[in-house]
Amino acid sequence: MKKITYKTPIVEMQGDEMTRILWDGIKELLLEPYVKLNTEFYDLGLENRERTADKVTSDAAEAIKRFGVGVKCATITPNAQRVEEYKLSEMWLSPNGTIRAALDGTVFRAPIMVKGITPYIPTWTKPITIARHAYGDVYKNAELSVGAGGECELSVRYADGRTERKPIYKFGEHGGVIQGVHNKDDSIASFARSCFNYALDTAQDVWFGAKDTISKTYDHRFKDIFAEVYEREYKPRFDEKGIKYEYSLIDDSVARVVRSNGGFIWALKNYDGDVMSDMVATAYGSLAMMTSVLVSPDGKYEYEAAHGTVTRHYYRHLKGEETSTNPIATIFAWTGALARRGKTENNAALVDFAERLERACIATVERGIMTGDLACIFKRDGVTARTVTSREFLKAINATLQEI
Ligand code: NAP
Ligand code: MG
């Protein structure tokens, strides 16, 4: 059989632990037999990050800017225990954080849906894609404990000597706490553009919610920038595609999301996104079925699984055990990247292959063959779930792929 080819490389970032093992299995059994992979390879495994003093991560980020499409395996974010375990010379930063900062990107997370795994909210028949603003607010705050009688104000000093002040609160006989947060107009505008680009790309509406009635300057700025960017740069293209942008108050937005059928992008401020993404991921059934893509405001895409390196399974693997680790989100990271490359090069064969591989994953589970994490929540009339090892599962997906 003739392998599918494409011209511009995809940036391939290998990672750590169990997902590193799955990565090689996916390439060997599901990709290389069908596609002549053309990749710029970066090994982001912790050992190589240590060897290169983490230069490999920034090199990979630069390569994504150059080639426009990347696919990344899960990686360890070092903590004190990892520094010890891997004898690190430094506690290297989170690779995802480094790449996100380099691309000024927004992360979109969406569940992979299969029949037999029902969301806790059964009306959610389509995926909800969460877009979380990844800059500022309470994540870059300044906080103080304030004693009794403390008088607190906001103050801004400009280079020309001008100052602006506003009282926050004058504490009485009991003290308390205060907090200062900020965000930047250009970061908010980049966030809006990433959301609108992704909406055009996936033909979905965008919902954005904030609390502008209470926060008349801060949250209102988010609302205004979204509206301006939309009207000025996106409205005609949205109209043409038949999709819309809608703003509502965050509490109203939550209520409408719960009542909805899914099928839209939910753009959220940093803290709201942090909280709601865990709620939405859990409600859809399994973290192992959640995809994640980083999109820059100028349209660079980096695909990965939302889960980590599945350390517990890896330690069992090291003892010689065959594990039943779910490779689906990592496979979808590859199909996302291949389909994206297919679109940038008008390569219908590549787009078609990526779509077929996704359907093969879903069909394999729906027929009852799956990894352990899914088997314990799978319920489908007339189908009994059979738990297989990761490698058996990849082979079963390949068998399905050849049929459909
Ligand atoms: P994790 O790797 O997501 O795994 C947490 C647990 O969730 C696993 O022990 C497993 O549960 C279940 N799970 C996750 N993915 C699964 C899969 N594909 N198949 C089956 N079960 C799956 O999170 P973690 O253990 O907190 O973190 C491990 C490492 O990953 C850390 O070093 C962290 O820094 C890193 N991490 C990286 C990323 C990233 O690169 N994007 C994201 C998050 C975490 P059971 O053990 O009960 O089977
Ligand atoms: Mg969280």
Side-chain angles (χ1 to χ4, degrees):
M1 202 184 75
K2 203 167 161 287
K3 289 190 190 181
I4 300 164
T5 58
Y6 55 92
K7 296 191 198 83
T8 317
I10 288 171
V11 180
E12 173 184 355
M13 290 155 280
Q14 175 57 301
D16 288 301
E17 300 193 313
M18 205 58 224
T19 40
R20 187 177 181 100
I21 314 275
L22 292 178
W23 193 264
D24 290 334
I26 291 166
K27 284 173 64 180
E28 177 204 334
L29 295 169
L30 295 176
L31 302 176
E32 279 161 352
Y34 306 101
V35 180
K36 191 162 177 340
L37 290 178
N38 171 11
T39 70
E40 273 263 311
F41 182 83
Y42 293 86
D43 183 359
L44 300 196
L46 190 49
E47 274 125 359
N48 196 44
R49 279 182 272 153
E50 168 70 15
R51 213 173 297 131
T52 61
D54 207 24
K55 185 170 174 300
V56 65
T57 308
S58 32
D59 287 350
E62 287 310 311
I64 301 170
K65 286 193 196 165
R66 216 161 45 242
F67 295 114
V69 184
V71 57
K72 179 180 167 292
C73 179
T75 46
I76 292 169
T77 299
N79 54 15
Q81 182 259 321
R82 298 295 198 166
V83 170
E84 179 67 21
E85 182 184 357
Y86 283 82
K87 305 279 170 263
L88 301 180
S89 56
E90 256 183 65
M91 199 185 287
W92 305 112
L93 296 175
S94 147
N96 289 44
T98 303
I99 296 167
R100 195 152 58 214
L103 294 179
D104 184 20
T106 299
V107 174
F108 296 85
R109 288 189 161 191
I112 300 156
M113 302 187 67
V114 301
K115 294 194 187 82
I117 295 170
T118 316
Y120 287 95
I121 297 181
T123 48
W124 287 359
T125 52
K126 288 178 274 181
I128 293 171
T129 302
I130 296 254
R132 172 183 170 187
H133 186 209
Y135 180 82
D137 299 352
V138 72
Y139 301 85
K140 268 196 189 304
N141 69 356
E143 315 186 310
L144 280 178
S145 264
V146 183
E151 204 175 329
C152 312
E153 60 175 28
L154 287 175
S155 100
V156 183
R157 202 172 49 242
Y158 294 95
D160 63 6
R162 250 181 332 126
T163 57
E164 211 178 321
R165 297 171 164 218
K166 193 163 190 177
I168 298 174
Y169 190 66
K170 185 174 180 343
F171 287 86
E173 56 180 301
H174 300 289
V177 282
I178 57 165
Q179 181 180 64
V181 296
H182 78 280
N183 222 301
K184 300 187 296 183
D185 290 350
D186 58 347
S187 173
I188 300 167
S190 286
F191 175 50
R193 286 190 189 101
S194 293
C195 291
F196 294 142
N197 284 340
Y198 196 66
L200 285 171
D201 212 49
T202 57
Q204 298 185 89
D205 293 348
V206 175
W207 296 15
F208 179 51
K211 197 72 183 178
D212 63 287
T213 46
I214 298 295
S215 173
K216 291 190 165 65
T217 304
Y218 199 103
D219 275 27
H220 215 291
R221 182 66 61 87
F222 280 79
K223 178 184 178 181
D224 289 345
I225 290 177
F226 263 75
E228 269 166 43
V229 170
Y230 177 68
E231 289 297 329
R232 204 167 348 111
E233 301 171 30
Y234 291 91
K235 187 159 189 314
R237 280 183 284 164
F238 268 54
D239 290 345
E240 203 177 296
K241 264 241 150 89
I243 55 175
K244 348 185 251 302
Y245 164 62
E246 277 179 63
Y247 176 84
S248 55
L249 282 172
I250 183 66
D251 32 2
D252 181 35
S253 176
V254 170
R256 293 198 314 137
V257 165
V258 171
R259 286 197 307 267
S260 77
N261 299 124
F264 53 88
I265 296 163
W266 193 13
L268 291 156
K269 290 180 59 202
N270 210 347
Y271 176 82
D272 298 334
D274 186 349
V275 176
M276 289 302 159
S277 62
D278 284 21
M279 191 273 283
V280 168
T282 309
Y284 273 103
S286 171
L287 181 62
M289 296 292 277
M290 188 65 66
T291 61
S292 181
V293 55
L294 174 71
V295 182
S296 76
D298 59 346
K300 318 282 189 223
Y301 287 69
E302 184 230 23
Y303 295 83
E304 64 170 334
H307 60 76
T309 60
V310 209
T311 311
R312 285 216 292 258
H313 293 215
Y314 181 60
Y315 292 155
R316 296 213 303 269
H317 165 85
L318 289 180
K319 286 191 200 141
E321 221 180 285
E322 281 282 344
T323 70
S324 183
T325 316
N326 190 342
I328 289 182
T330 306
I331 297 170
F332 272 61
W334 272 102
T335 54
L338 292 171
R340 178 81 212 151
R341 178 53 79 227
K343 279 183 199 156
T344 63
E345 294 189 349
N346 275 323
N347 183 335
L350 191 57
V351 174
D352 177 66
F353 170 76
E355 283 169 1
R356 273 197 317 122
L357 180 50
E358 291 184 356
R359 274 189 278 128
C361 292
I362 291 167
T364 305
V365 176
E366 290 178 347
R367 290 170 186 183
I369 303 172
M370 64 198 77
T371 45
D373 58 307
L374 298 182
C376 61
I377 52 173
F378 186 84
K379 259 203 196 87
R380 192 167 186 214
D381 280 346
V383 184
T384 322
R386 183 158 70 85
T387 303
V388 294
T389 65
S390 299
R391 206 160 166 91
E392 285 166 346
F393 186 53
L394 292 175
K395 286 182 180 161
I397 294 169
N398 192 28
T400 314
L401 180 62
Q402 302 197 2
E403 272 173 47
I404 62 175

